[in-house]
Amino acid sequence: MAPSGRKHAKSQPRIIPGGFSVLPIQFDSDSATQHTLYIKEHKVRAEKTSRRPLDRTLFVLNIPPYCSEAVIRDLFSQFGSVQSVELRDHPGSSHESELKLSKLFTPASKQGFKVGYIVFQNSSGIAAAKKHDYDVPLVVSTEQHPVKTGVQKWIQEYKESFIQPDNLQEIVDSFMQDYDKRKEEEAERQKKEAEQQEEDEEGWVKVTRGQKGTKARPHSEAANKRTLQKEMRKKKRKELMNFYTWQHRNTQKEHIAELRKKFEEDKQKIALLRAQRKFRPY
């Protein structure tokens, strides 16, 4: 993917509102039409990530569907050594997934125009890309680096979708080994936390801080019931019922008051039943 013979020092870049530089491309040397990319130095200070350093990252808009990460890397490598290329459906922060699944378990990416983040080895690559001559388009598909589109691209992707049984078994075994290892580590961590949360001989419970980033589990009804029963048993063990005389008197008073209340309720029920059974001929 070679640019024109003009040097970047003599280039005439074009800047549009928003601070974007216009970078024209064409699919091959025989194409009569051109496509336009919009590039700008990435300067989002709120995004704190090592994957997109502020002084070496180029933000690219309007990347066509036939440009993969490998194509973009080859296309921009003429401006400087490219460290990494990231294509996304829309601009946004970088989310590094903790669990990287195999391509066999991930859905197919959405086809359409994308945005890109290109990280150069040196900051001079950004300056060279922004100074590129607007009248000299970059060629995407060359003899050294052909890019397939249309039916040819579909046939290539269809052939690459097949995988040998031995390779598939190896990928599945590797995935299951990692999964079992994570489950064992999680079980070991929960066991240690349970041991730390057990109460000692005096009834004290050691409260430890959970791992950073873990979410608190909501308490279920069964868990709440078990906790309540545990607290009641603990309270009964520590409390001596009717130990003092005044405790015994208070218990008797409460019992007598409860009996009087029940007696009054029974009287009202009997009076109501008598009134309902009274004979009234007129």
Side-chain angles (χ1 to χ4, degrees), residues 148-175:
K148 294 183 179 181
T149 58
V151 177
Q152 294 181 352
K153 181 181 178 182
W154 182 85
I155 294 175
Q156 180 182 1
E157 292 177 350
Y158 179 75
K159 291 181 178 179
E160 292 176 352
S161 64
F162 292 96
I163 185 171
Q164 297 298 327
D166 296 339
N167 296 337
L168 178 60
Q169 186 65 42
E170 183 179 354
I171 294 174
V172 173
D173 293 341
S174 177
F175 176 81

PDB file of all heavy atoms in Angstrom, residues 148-175:
ATOM      1  N   LYS A 148      -9.396  -8.445  -0.639  1.00  0.00           N
ATOM      2  CA  LYS A 148     -10.531  -9.060  -1.318  1.00  0.00           C
ATOM      3  C   LYS A 148     -11.838  -8.443  -0.836  1.00  0.00           C
ATOM      4  O   LYS A 148     -12.000  -8.140   0.347  1.00  0.00           O
ATOM      5  CB  LYS A 148     -10.540 -10.563  -1.061  1.00  0.00           C
ATOM      6  CG  LYS A 148      -9.355 -11.296  -1.673  1.00  0.00           C
ATOM      7  CD  LYS A 148      -9.451 -12.796  -1.441  1.00  0.00           C
ATOM      8  CE  LYS A 148      -8.278 -13.511  -2.081  1.00  0.00           C
ATOM      9  NZ  LYS A 148      -8.348 -14.991  -1.882  1.00  0.00           N
ATOM     10  N   THR A 149     -12.759  -8.293  -1.764  1.00  0.00           N
ATOM     11  CA  THR A 149     -14.086  -7.764  -1.455  1.00  0.00           C
ATOM     12  C   THR A 149     -15.131  -8.574  -2.196  1.00  0.00           C
ATOM     13  O   THR A 149     -14.804  -9.400  -3.056  1.00  0.00           O
ATOM     14  CB  THR A 149     -14.216  -6.284  -1.853  1.00  0.00           C
ATOM     15  OG1 THR A 149     -13.940  -6.161  -3.260  1.00  0.00           O
ATOM     16  CG2 THR A 149     -13.242  -5.420  -1.076  1.00  0.00           C
ATOM     17  N   GLY A 150     -16.384  -8.311  -1.886  1.00  0.00           N
ATOM     18  CA  GLY A 150     -17.473  -8.952  -2.604  1.00  0.00           C
ATOM     19  C   GLY A 150     -17.492 -10.454  -2.425  1.00  0.00           C
ATOM     20  O   GLY A 150     -17.278 -10.991  -1.339  1.00  0.00           O
ATOM     21  N   VAL A 151     -17.732 -11.173  -3.544  1.00  0.00           N
ATOM     22  CA  VAL A 151     -17.855 -12.628  -3.514  1.00  0.00           C
ATOM     23  C   VAL A 151     -16.540 -13.283  -3.097  1.00  0.00           C
ATOM     24  O   VAL A 151     -16.530 -14.279  -2.364  1.00  0.00           O
ATOM     25  CB  VAL A 151     -18.312 -13.148  -4.886  1.00  0.00           C
ATOM     26  CG1 VAL A 151     -18.384 -14.669  -4.882  1.00  0.00           C
ATOM     27  CG2 VAL A 151     -19.668 -12.570  -5.257  1.00  0.00           C
ATOM     28  N   GLN A 152     -15.426 -12.739  -3.554  1.00  0.00           N
ATOM     29  CA  GLN A 152     -14.138 -13.310  -3.186  1.00  0.00           C
ATOM     30  C   GLN A 152     -13.910 -13.254  -1.677  1.00  0.00           C
ATOM     31  O   GLN A 152     -13.410 -14.214  -1.064  1.00  0.00           O
ATOM     32  CB  GLN A 152     -13.013 -12.569  -3.907  1.00  0.00           C
ATOM     33  CG  GLN A 152     -13.027 -12.747  -5.419  1.00  0.00           C
ATOM     34  CD  GLN A 152     -11.885 -12.016  -6.083  1.00  0.00           C
ATOM     35  OE1 GLN A 152     -11.162 -11.251  -5.430  1.00  0.00           O
ATOM     36  NE2 GLN A 152     -11.722 -12.226  -7.387  1.00  0.00           N
ATOM     37  N   LYS A 153     -14.289 -12.150  -1.058  1.00  0.00           N
ATOM     38  CA  LYS A 153     -14.153 -12.039   0.395  1.00  0.00           C
ATOM     39  C   LYS A 153     -15.066 -13.025   1.105  1.00  0.00           C
ATOM     40  O   LYS A 153     -14.681 -13.659   2.093  1.00  0.00           O
ATOM     41  CB  LYS A 153     -14.472 -10.609   0.831  1.00  0.00           C
ATOM     42  CG  LYS A 153     -14.330 -10.374   2.322  1.00  0.00           C
ATOM     43  CD  LYS A 153     -14.680  -8.953   2.699  1.00  0.00           C
ATOM     44  CE  LYS A 153     -14.572  -8.739   4.190  1.00  0.00           C
ATOM     45  NZ  LYS A 153     -14.949  -7.351   4.576  1.00  0.00           N
ATOM     46  N   TRP A 154     -16.287 -13.184   0.593  1.00  0.00           N
ATOM     47  CA  TRP A 154     -17.240 -14.119   1.207  1.00  0.00           C
ATOM     48  C   TRP A 154     -16.724 -15.543   1.106  1.00  0.00           C
ATOM     49  O   TRP A 154     -16.815 -16.317   2.061  1.00  0.00           O
ATOM     50  CB  TRP A 154     -18.598 -13.992   0.525  1.00  0.00           C
ATOM     51  CG  TRP A 154     -19.646 -14.884   1.136  1.00  0.00           C
ATOM     52  CD1 TRP A 154     -20.421 -14.637   2.210  1.00  0.00           C
ATOM     53  CD2 TRP A 154     -19.972 -16.207   0.689  1.00  0.00           C
ATOM     54  NE1 TRP A 154     -21.236 -15.706   2.470  1.00  0.00           N
ATOM     55  CE2 TRP A 154     -20.988 -16.687   1.553  1.00  0.00           C
ATOM     56  CE3 TRP A 154     -19.524 -17.016  -0.357  1.00  0.00           C
ATOM     57  CZ2 TRP A 154     -21.544 -17.950   1.401  1.00  0.00           C
ATOM     58  CZ3 TRP A 154     -20.084 -18.281  -0.499  1.00  0.00           C
ATOM     59  CH2 TRP A 154     -21.089 -18.740   0.374  1.00  0.00           C
ATOM     60  N   ILE A 155     -16.171 -15.928  -0.054  1.00  0.00           N
ATOM     61  CA  ILE A 155     -15.625 -17.276  -0.229  1.00  0.00           C
ATOM     62  C   ILE A 155     -14.454 -17.509   0.722  1.00  0.00           C
ATOM     63  O   ILE A 155     -14.323 -18.573   1.344  1.00  0.00           O
ATOM     64  CB  ILE A 155     -15.195 -17.492  -1.697  1.00  0.00           C
ATOM     65  CG1 ILE A 155     -16.429 -17.469  -2.614  1.00  0.00           C
ATOM     66  CG2 ILE A 155     -14.442 -18.806  -1.850  1.00  0.00           C
ATOM     67  CD1 ILE A 155     -16.096 -17.546  -4.083  1.00  0.00           C
ATOM     68  N   GLN A 156     -13.594 -16.515   0.879  1.00  0.00           N
ATOM     69  CA  GLN A 156     -12.455 -16.646   1.783  1.00  0.00           C
ATOM     70  C   GLN A 156     -12.916 -16.810   3.224  1.00  0.00           C
ATOM     71  O   GLN A 156     -12.408 -17.672   3.962  1.00  0.00           O
ATOM     72  CB  GLN A 156     -11.545 -15.437   1.651  1.00  0.00           C
ATOM     73  CG  GLN A 156     -10.325 -15.494   2.550  1.00  0.00           C
ATOM     74  CD  GLN A 156      -9.464 -14.260   2.419  1.00  0.00           C
ATOM     75  OE1 GLN A 156      -9.787 -13.342   1.669  1.00  0.00           O
ATOM     76  NE2 GLN A 156      -8.357 -14.225   3.150  1.00  0.00           N
ATOM     77  N   GLU A 157     -13.870 -16.004   3.655  1.00  0.00           N
ATOM     78  CA  GLU A 157     -14.378 -16.119   5.023  1.00  0.00           C
ATOM     79  C   GLU A 157     -15.093 -17.444   5.242  1.00  0.00           C
ATOM     80  O   GLU A 157     -15.015 -18.031   6.330  1.00  0.00           O
ATOM     81  CB  GLU A 157     -15.322 -14.956   5.322  1.00  0.00           C
ATOM     82  CG  GLU A 157     -14.631 -13.605   5.381  1.00  0.00           C
ATOM     83  CD  GLU A 157     -15.611 -12.474   5.607  1.00  0.00           C
ATOM     84  OE1 GLU A 157     -16.838 -12.731   5.523  1.00  0.00           O
ATOM     85  OE2 GLU A 157     -15.166 -11.342   5.858  1.00  0.00           O
ATOM     86  N   TYR A 158     -15.790 -17.924   4.189  1.00  0.00           N
ATOM     87  CA  TYR A 158     -16.483 -19.209   4.311  1.00  0.00           C
ATOM     88  C   TYR A 158     -15.496 -20.355   4.487  1.00  0.00           C
ATOM     89  O   TYR A 158     -15.691 -21.247   5.317  1.00  0.00           O
ATOM     90  CB  TYR A 158     -17.355 -19.435   3.084  1.00  0.00           C
ATOM     91  CG  TYR A 158     -18.100 -20.753   3.085  1.00  0.00           C
ATOM     92  CD1 TYR A 158     -19.205 -20.938   3.906  1.00  0.00           C
ATOM     93  CD2 TYR A 158     -17.688 -21.804   2.269  1.00  0.00           C
ATOM     94  CE1 TYR A 158     -19.891 -22.141   3.919  1.00  0.00           C
ATOM     95  CE2 TYR A 158     -18.362 -23.009   2.262  1.00  0.00           C
ATOM     96  CZ  TYR A 158     -19.465 -23.186   3.098  1.00  0.00           C
ATOM     97  OH  TYR A 158     -20.130 -24.381   3.108  1.00  0.00           O
ATOM     98  N   LYS A 159     -14.397 -20.334   3.740  1.00  0.00           N
ATOM     99  CA  LYS A 159     -13.378 -21.379   3.854  1.00  0.00           C
ATOM    100  C   LYS A 159     -12.672 -21.304   5.212  1.00  0.00           C
ATOM    101  O   LYS A 159     -12.369 -22.331   5.817  1.00  0.00           O
ATOM    102  CB  LYS A 159     -12.361 -21.248   2.729  1.00  0.00           C
ATOM    103  CG  LYS A 159     -12.919 -21.594   1.343  1.00  0.00           C
ATOM    104  CD  LYS A 159     -11.848 -21.467   0.280  1.00  0.00           C
ATOM    105  CE  LYS A 159     -12.375 -21.842  -1.095  1.00  0.00           C
ATOM    106  NZ  LYS A 159     -11.340 -21.699  -2.161  1.00  0.00           N
ATOM    107  N   GLU A 160     -12.431 -20.089   5.684  1.00  0.00           N
ATOM    108  CA  GLU A 160     -11.743 -19.934   6.969  1.00  0.00           C
ATOM    109  C   GLU A 160     -12.642 -20.305   8.152  1.00  0.00           C
ATOM    110  O   GLU A 160     -12.136 -20.516   9.257  1.00  0.00           O
ATOM    111  CB  GLU A 160     -11.257 -18.497   7.134  1.00  0.00           C
ATOM    112  CG  GLU A 160     -10.151 -18.110   6.174  1.00  0.00           C
ATOM    113  CD  GLU A 160      -9.758 -16.660   6.300  1.00  0.00           C
ATOM    114  OE1 GLU A 160     -10.461 -15.931   7.044  1.00  0.00           O
ATOM    115  OE2 GLU A 160      -8.760 -16.251   5.672  1.00  0.00           O
ATOM    116  N   SER A 161     -13.968 -20.371   7.918  1.00  0.00           N
ATOM    117  CA  SER A 161     -14.874 -20.724   9.013  1.00  0.00           C
ATOM    118  C   SER A 161     -14.781 -22.196   9.390  1.00  0.00           C
ATOM    119  O   SER A 161     -15.170 -22.581  10.492  1.00  0.00           O
ATOM    120  CB  SER A 161     -16.320 -20.383   8.627  1.00  0.00           C
ATOM    121  OG  SER A 161     -16.744 -21.166   7.515  1.00  0.00           O
ATOM    122  N   PHE A 162     -14.287 -23.028   8.490  1.00  0.00           N
ATOM    123  CA  PHE A 162     -14.120 -24.445   8.799  1.00  0.00           C
ATOM    124  C   PHE A 162     -12.853 -24.645   9.621  1.00  0.00           C
ATOM    125  O   PHE A 162     -11.843 -23.982   9.392  1.00  0.00           O
ATOM    126  CB  PHE A 162     -14.035 -25.277   7.505  1.00  0.00           C
ATOM    127  CG  PHE A 162     -15.328 -25.324   6.740  1.00  0.00           C
ATOM    128  CD1 PHE A 162     -15.557 -24.457   5.687  1.00  0.00           C
ATOM    129  CD2 PHE A 162     -16.321 -26.229   7.085  1.00  0.00           C
ATOM    130  CE1 PHE A 162     -16.732 -24.490   4.986  1.00  0.00           C
ATOM    131  CE2 PHE A 162     -17.509 -26.273   6.379  1.00  0.00           C
ATOM    132  CZ  PHE A 162     -17.724 -25.395   5.328  1.00  0.00           C
ATOM    133  N   ILE A 163     -12.925 -25.586  10.537  1.00  0.00           N
ATOM    134  CA  ILE A 163     -11.790 -25.868  11.402  1.00  0.00           C
ATOM    135  C   ILE A 163     -11.627 -27.371  11.527  1.00  0.00           C
ATOM    136  O   ILE A 163     -12.616 -28.125  11.560  1.00  0.00           O
ATOM    137  CB  ILE A 163     -11.984 -25.224  12.793  1.00  0.00           C
ATOM    138  CG1 ILE A 163     -10.749 -25.428  13.649  1.00  0.00           C
ATOM    139  CG2 ILE A 163     -13.216 -25.754  13.489  1.00  0.00           C
ATOM    140  CD1 ILE A 163     -10.780 -24.633  14.930  1.00  0.00           C
ATOM    141  N   GLN A 164     -10.384 -27.814  11.589  1.00  0.00           N
ATOM    142  CA  GLN A 164     -10.108 -29.246  11.693  1.00  0.00           C
ATOM    143  C   GLN A 164     -10.531 -29.770  13.061  1.00  0.00           C
ATOM    144  O   GLN A 164     -10.437 -29.072  14.072  1.00  0.00           O
ATOM    145  CB  GLN A 164      -8.617 -29.496  11.473  1.00  0.00           C
ATOM    146  CG  GLN A 164      -8.119 -29.119  10.092  1.00  0.00           C
ATOM    147  CD  GLN A 164      -8.779 -29.933   8.993  1.00  0.00           C
ATOM    148  OE1 GLN A 164      -9.113 -31.101   9.201  1.00  0.00           O
ATOM    149  NE2 GLN A 164      -8.977 -29.304   7.830  1.00  0.00           N
ATOM    150  N   PRO A 165     -11.037 -31.014  13.107  1.00  0.00           N
ATOM    151  CA  PRO A 165     -11.488 -31.561  14.409  1.00  0.00           C
ATOM    152  C   PRO A 165     -10.398 -31.552  15.478  1.00  0.00           C
ATOM    153  O   PRO A 165     -10.684 -31.298  16.654  1.00  0.00           O
ATOM    154  CB  PRO A 165     -11.920 -32.997  14.047  1.00  0.00           C
ATOM    155  CG  PRO A 165     -12.261 -32.937  12.589  1.00  0.00           C
ATOM    156  CD  PRO A 165     -11.323 -31.934  11.993  1.00  0.00           C
ATOM    157  N   ASP A 166      -9.154 -31.849  15.077  1.00  0.00           N
ATOM    158  CA  ASP A 166      -8.075 -31.861  16.065  1.00  0.00           C
ATOM    159  C   ASP A 166      -7.843 -30.471  16.653  1.00  0.00           C
ATOM    160  O   ASP A 166      -7.667 -30.318  17.873  1.00  0.00           O
ATOM    161  CB  ASP A 166      -6.787 -32.381  15.424  1.00  0.00           C
ATOM    162  CG  ASP A 166      -6.919 -33.836  14.972  1.00  0.00           C
ATOM    163  OD1 ASP A 166      -7.812 -34.529  15.497  1.00  0.00           O
ATOM    164  OD2 ASP A 166      -6.134 -34.247  14.094  1.00  0.00           O
ATOM    165  N   ASN A 167      -7.863 -29.461  15.790  1.00  0.00           N
ATOM    166  CA  ASN A 167      -7.677 -28.094  16.273  1.00  0.00           C
ATOM    167  C   ASN A 167      -8.850 -27.651  17.154  1.00  0.00           C
ATOM    168  O   ASN A 167      -8.662 -26.968  18.157  1.00  0.00           O
ATOM    169  CB  ASN A 167      -7.519 -27.134  15.096  1.00  0.00           C
ATOM    170  CG  ASN A 167      -6.267 -27.424  14.289  1.00  0.00           C
ATOM    171  OD1 ASN A 167      -5.327 -28.018  14.800  1.00  0.00           O
ATOM    172  ND2 ASN A 167      -6.256 -27.011  13.035  1.00  0.00           N
ATOM    173  N   LEU A 168     -10.051 -28.069  16.748  1.00  0.00           N
ATOM    174  CA  LEU A 168     -11.229 -27.721  17.542  1.00  0.00           C
ATOM    175  C   LEU A 168     -11.159 -28.362  18.924  1.00  0.00           C
ATOM    176  O   LEU A 168     -11.465 -27.721  19.941  1.00  0.00           O
ATOM    177  CB  LEU A 168     -12.488 -28.165  16.806  1.00  0.00           C
ATOM    178  CG  LEU A 168     -13.822 -27.921  17.532  1.00  0.00           C
ATOM    179  CD1 LEU A 168     -14.025 -26.446  17.798  1.00  0.00           C
ATOM    180  CD2 LEU A 168     -14.981 -28.488  16.722  1.00  0.00           C
ATOM    181  N   GLN A 169     -10.749 -29.638  18.980  1.00  0.00           N
ATOM    182  CA  GLN A 169     -10.636 -30.324  20.262  1.00  0.00           C
ATOM    183  C   GLN A 169      -9.589 -29.656  21.141  1.00  0.00           C
ATOM    184  O   GLN A 169      -9.772 -29.520  22.362  1.00  0.00           O
ATOM    185  CB  GLN A 169     -10.281 -31.792  20.027  1.00  0.00           C
ATOM    186  CG  GLN A 169     -10.290 -32.634  21.291  1.00  0.00           C
ATOM    187  CD  GLN A 169     -11.672 -32.737  21.905  1.00  0.00           C
ATOM    188  OE1 GLN A 169     -12.658 -32.919  21.194  1.00  0.00           O
ATOM    189  NE2 GLN A 169     -11.757 -32.600  23.225  1.00  0.00           N
ATOM    190  N   GLU A 170      -8.493 -29.225  20.542  1.00  0.00           N
ATOM    191  CA  GLU A 170      -7.446 -28.553  21.299  1.00  0.00           C
ATOM    192  C   GLU A 170      -7.943 -27.225  21.871  1.00  0.00           C
ATOM    193  O   GLU A 170      -7.656 -26.889  23.028  1.00  0.00           O
ATOM    194  CB  GLU A 170      -6.249 -28.319  20.387  1.00  0.00           C
ATOM    195  CG  GLU A 170      -5.059 -27.685  21.085  1.00  0.00           C
ATOM    196  CD  GLU A 170      -3.880 -27.492  20.156  1.00  0.00           C
ATOM    197  OE1 GLU A 170      -3.949 -27.954  19.001  1.00  0.00           O
ATOM    198  OE2 GLU A 170      -2.884 -26.869  20.588  1.00  0.00           O
ATOM    199  N   ILE A 171      -8.699 -26.464  21.082  1.00  0.00           N
ATOM    200  CA  ILE A 171      -9.237 -25.185  21.559  1.00  0.00           C
ATOM    201  C   ILE A 171     -10.235 -25.411  22.696  1.00  0.00           C
ATOM    202  O   ILE A 171     -10.221 -24.701  23.712  1.00  0.00           O
ATOM    203  CB  ILE A 171      -9.891 -24.430  20.388  1.00  0.00           C
ATOM    204  CG1 ILE A 171      -8.830 -24.032  19.359  1.00  0.00           C
ATOM    205  CG2 ILE A 171     -10.628 -23.198  20.893  1.00  0.00           C
ATOM    206  CD1 ILE A 171      -9.405 -23.412  18.103  1.00  0.00           C
ATOM    207  N   VAL A 172     -11.104 -26.412  22.537  1.00  0.00           N
ATOM    208  CA  VAL A 172     -12.104 -26.693  23.572  1.00  0.00           C
ATOM    209  C   VAL A 172     -11.443 -27.151  24.864  1.00  0.00           C
ATOM    210  O   VAL A 172     -11.816 -26.729  25.963  1.00  0.00           O
ATOM    211  CB  VAL A 172     -13.110 -27.741  23.061  1.00  0.00           C
ATOM    212  CG1 VAL A 172     -14.046 -28.178  24.187  1.00  0.00           C
ATOM    213  CG2 VAL A 172     -13.928 -27.187  21.907  1.00  0.00           C
ATOM    214  N   ASP A 173     -10.427 -28.039  24.744  1.00  0.00           N
ATOM    215  CA  ASP A 173      -9.727 -28.510  25.942  1.00  0.00           C
ATOM    216  C   ASP A 173      -9.034 -27.363  26.673  1.00  0.00           C
ATOM    217  O   ASP A 173      -9.065 -27.284  27.904  1.00  0.00           O
ATOM    218  CB  ASP A 173      -8.706 -29.580  25.552  1.00  0.00           C
ATOM    219  CG  ASP A 173      -9.378 -30.858  25.053  1.00  0.00           C
ATOM    220  OD1 ASP A 173     -10.572 -31.035  25.341  1.00  0.00           O
ATOM    221  OD2 ASP A 173      -8.705 -31.653  24.362  1.00  0.00           O
ATOM    222  N   SER A 174      -8.406 -26.483  25.912  1.00  0.00           N
ATOM    223  CA  SER A 174      -7.736 -25.340  26.527  1.00  0.00           C
ATOM    224  C   SER A 174      -8.731 -24.427  27.229  1.00  0.00           C
ATOM    225  O   SER A 174      -8.485 -23.946  28.346  1.00  0.00           O
ATOM    226  CB  SER A 174      -6.962 -24.563  25.461  1.00  0.00           C
ATOM    227  OG  SER A 174      -6.358 -23.414  26.008  1.00  0.00           O
ATOM    228  N   PHE A 175      -9.871 -24.211  26.592  1.00  0.00           N
ATOM    229  CA  PHE A 175     -10.900 -23.360  27.198  1.00  0.00           C
ATOM    230  C   PHE A 175     -11.444 -23.981  28.483  1.00  0.00           C
ATOM    231  O   PHE A 175     -11.616 -23.290  29.501  1.00  0.00           O
ATOM    232  CB  PHE A 175     -12.032 -23.135  26.203  1.00  0.00           C
ATOM    233  CG  PHE A 175     -13.192 -22.358  26.762  1.00  0.00           C
ATOM    234  CD1 PHE A 175     -13.150 -20.980  26.844  1.00  0.00           C
ATOM    235  CD2 PHE A 175     -14.329 -23.016  27.212  1.00  0.00           C
ATOM    236  CE1 PHE A 175     -14.218 -20.266  27.373  1.00  0.00           C
ATOM    237  CE2 PHE A 175     -15.390 -22.305  27.740  1.00  0.00           C
ATOM    238  CZ  PHE A 175     -15.334 -20.940  27.816  1.00  0.00           C
TER     239      PHE A 175
END
